[in-house]
Amino acid sequence: MLSTQEQFLAATKEHFDAQIQVITSLTSKAFEGVEKVIDLNVAAVKSSMQELSESGKGLGAAKDPQAFIAAVTATIQPAADKALEYGRQLTEITNSLQPHITKAAEDQLVQTRQKLHEILALAATNAPAGSENAVAVLQSILSNADSSFDQLIQNTRKAVETLQQNVQQSAAPLAAKAATKTSKK
């Protein structure tokens, strides 16, 4: 039979290993997101360079001020559409990462809680006589920490939802304007 100290060390090692796995998973997912953002940025720069070259040719070919204004106007709308599409794709990349990160964090929290409860139960069963008050205090602290973690998770979810709503509300007028311009063509 393992001693209390050996059981505590084994539980601590297992918990540490689980944390390393979560960190590795999150790091991998973060690199995927960074790769996608880099790819998006490279594509946007290439596209912008091509459009700049083409619009420069169009502006240079303008024979009078009206043709120049028409060329500038023809350049502005596609640029706005591209910017809107870039923002949409960036939001999509960010939103695809958020559920994975949230789930990993919540899973880690559940595992941490479970491990802490197991360690506390082990300590309570092996505690010397007269230490009931100390065990009760530890249980109270753990219960308060659980409540705090729950509140933190709820607040974080609300903050993420609010941020997503604000982004959608900010993008809605641009999307509507782009849609009306597209439907007029």
Side-chain angles (χ1 to χ4, degrees), residues 29-99:
K29 199 65 171 174
F31 276 119
E32 281 180 37
V34 169
E35 279 182 324
K36 289 178 182 178
V37 170
I38 289 171
D39 291 344
L40 178 63
N41 287 339
V42 167
V45 168
K46 283 181 180 178
S47 175
S48 294
M49 290 176 67
Q50 289 172 346
E51 290 172 9
L52 183 61
S53 174
E54 291 171 10
S55 66
K57 290 175 187 174
L59 293 174
K63 304 275 187 217
D64 57 29
Q66 290 175 340
F68 182 79
I69 291 172
V72 169
T73 305
T75 305
I76 291 173
Q77 182 58 44
D81 292 343
K82 295 272 184 184
L84 183 64
E85 179 62 19
Y86 175 86
R88 186 194 63 73
Q89 289 178 359
L90 189 59
T91 301
E92 189 176 292
I93 291 168
T94 307
N95 288 344
S96 72
L97 295 174
Q98 188 267 333

Side-chain angles (χ1 to χ4, degrees), residues 15 20 24 71-72 86 104 109 151 153 168 171 183:
H15 179 66
I20 295 295
T24 302
V72 169
Y86 175 86
L109 182 59
Q151 189 63 46
I153 287 172
Q168 289 172 351
S183 65

